[in-house]
Amino acid sequence: MSGKELRIVFMGTPEFAVPSLRALVAGGYHVVGVVTTPDKPAGRGQRLHESDVKIAARELGLPVLQPVKLRDPEFIEALQAWKPDLGIVIAFRMLPEVVWDMPRLGTFNLHASLLPQYRGAAPINWAIINGERETGVTTFLLNHEIDKGAIIGQIRVPIGEEDTIGTMYDRLMQIGTGLVLETVERIAAGDIQPIKQEGIDESTLHPAPKIFKEDCRIDWTQPGKRIVDFIRGLSPYPAAWTAMYREGSGEEALTAKIFAAKFEAADHAGIACGTVESDGRSFIRVACADGWIRLGELQIAGKKRLTAHDLLLGWRDVQQYRFEKQ
């Protein structure tokens, strides 16, 4: 059987899922409907915001369901009416069994990591933050546990020294699209031998939990490479940040988001971590455990995102601040 003969239900929310949905439709696959999150108020005026997947589905002329509760009888009845052969999930919510087990061929998920490593909501961020040199995408069959279903396919992708969450997100989004189409065809042809995630020493795995604002605060007492990887793993969004204190004061004066930085190894005994140095014209650097972090791009609260050079054109007193409390 060809994958194009299957009745497919697609479930997803953010931009990461959109290329796969568009590729399925462009490739002639029979997507019978899309499930996404309800519209949510956001921004000034709290206007209702539609998910990226909903916007794409509307452009593609696909019917959309937006259940508040995934066990709602009306939603389940509407889903059954689509008579799905296969479910595809990309960056959505945890599904109850009544949903993922409904399609006769099951439901598979695309996850942006090399499972079983980096199970969780933010796998790309954490792989970069932890200094990994490789990540990838995985398709797996859904079961009762988050990201623990049997693995169908994987593609490995290197992480370059200059890569950020922004560059890797885009790369994995496109590579994942190809894996989704390949997985559909393999399932349709009966050509899968899912590998169960069993017998794994859980202590060897890296988790990838959701990232909150306080998780993004830079610890200047860390080694330089660790700090640079941390910044890369959060750039451009949600962005690593630091508090700024006036010299001689323990009160927080400003905050700054850091988008790009480089590490300069140095023995600077006697210089406290968080100390700021600048020539007032071309560079800003911050002391860390084993050297300096030279800032590339940053954004002072309330200001534009600028290179360190451009920021210094209008702000010469940066050395009056430090990035750690005294």
Side-chain angles (χ1 to χ4, degrees):
M1 175 182 288
S2 165
K4 295 178 183 179
E5 298 175 56
L6 301 179
R7 297 176 60 84
I8 297 172
V9 170
F10 187 93
M11 293 172 259
T13 299
E15 177 192 21
F16 192 83
V18 171
S20 292
L21 176 59
R22 291 191 181 278
L24 285 164
V25 174
Y29 291 87
H30 190 191
V31 179
V32 294
V34 171
V35 181
T36 190
T37 52
D39 299 347
K40 296 180 180 179
R44 292 183 179 180
Q46 292 292 285
R47 296 179 62 182
L48 287 179
H49 174 78
E50 298 177 330
S51 75
D52 293 319
V53 164
K54 180 183 177 182
I55 293 169
R58 185 172 61 243
E59 292 174 357
L60 295 168
L62 300 173
V64 176
L65 294 175
Q66 296 178 270
V68 174
K69 296 181 179 180
L70 294 173
R71 298 179 187 274
D72 184 276
E74 290 186 9
F75 165 63
I76 298 300
E77 184 178 345
L79 198 60
Q80 289 172 332
W82 284 344
K83 299 178 181 177
D85 295 312
L86 179 66
I88 300 176
V89 176
I90 304 177
F92 194 50
R93 297 148 63 185
M94 184 176 180
L95 301 180
E97 183 176 0
V98 67
V99 174
W100 58 256
D101 193 44
M102 185 185 300
R104 66 180 183 84
L105 296 176
T107 300
F108 77 85
N109 179 259
L110 173 71
H111 188 72
S113 82
L114 297 173
L115 291 175
Q117 293 289 358
Y118 295 102
R119 294 170 178 155
I124 312 174
N125 300 88
W126 286 107
I128 299 172
I129 288 170
N130 289 338
E132 301 285 2
R133 309 305 299 165
E134 183 181 59
T135 185
V137 286
T138 302
T139 50
F140 67 96
L141 293 169
L142 290 190
N143 65 9
H144 296 92
E145 298 182 275
I146 295 176
D147 299 337
K148 292 186 178 182
I151 293 170
I152 303 171
Q154 283 189 334
I155 299 176
R156 295 179 175 273
V157 181
I159 301 174
E161 292 185 2
E162 302 296 323
D163 276 318
T164 65
I165 175 60
T167 61
M168 289 306 300
Y169 181 98
D170 290 344
R171 194 174 307 149
L172 294 177
M173 182 168 58
Q174 298 305 322
I175 292 171
T177 296
L179 184 58
V180 166
L181 298 185
E182 176 189 315
T183 301
V184 171
E185 287 298 340
R186 288 179 58 196
I187 289 174
D191 181 29
I192 62 169
Q193 294 180 322
I195 301 171
K196 292 184 178 180
Q197 297 185 54
E198 296 178 346
I200 299 167
D201 181 355
E202 297 287 330
S203 68
T204 66
L205 301 182
H206 297 290
K210 186 175 180 179
I211 294 173
F212 297 94
K213 181 181 178 181
E214 195 56 36
D215 300 323
C216 301
R217 185 168 185 164
I218 299 170
D219 179 359
W220 297 102
T221 66
Q222 292 285 315
K225 183 182 183 304
R226 176 71 176 169
I227 292 174
V228 170
D229 290 341
F230 184 77
I231 292 169
R232 292 192 304 123
L234 297 169
S235 176
Y237 182 82
W241 65 277
T242 183
M244 300 174 64
Y245 304 87
R246 284 194 176 274
E247 284 287 0
S249 170
E251 295 184 7
E252 182 178 314
L254 295 168
T255 59
K257 292 181 177 180
I258 313 296
F259 297 98
K262 293 193 178 294
F263 171 54
E264 300 172 347
D267 182 4
H268 52 36
I271 298 179
C273 293
T275 299
V276 177
E277 281 195 357
S278 174
D279 62 357
R281 298 185 305 277
S282 62
F283 77 86
I284 303 170
R285 64 182 190 176
V286 186
C288 63
D290 53 352
W292 297 94
I293 301 297
R294 184 179 286 258
L295 304 185
E297 289 184 87
L298 65 161
Q299 182 176 18
I300 306 300
K303 305 292 183 181
K304 293 181 179 179
R305 175 176 168 175
L306 297 168
T307 64
H309 173 269
D310 288 345
L311 178 66
L312 289 170
L313 292 176
W315 191 46
R316 299 294 180 86
D317 65 345
V318 65
Q319 291 193 90
Q320 293 182 18
Y321 294 87
R322 57 181 295 108
F323 289 178
E324 287 281 349
K325 286 186 179 180
Q326 289 179 308

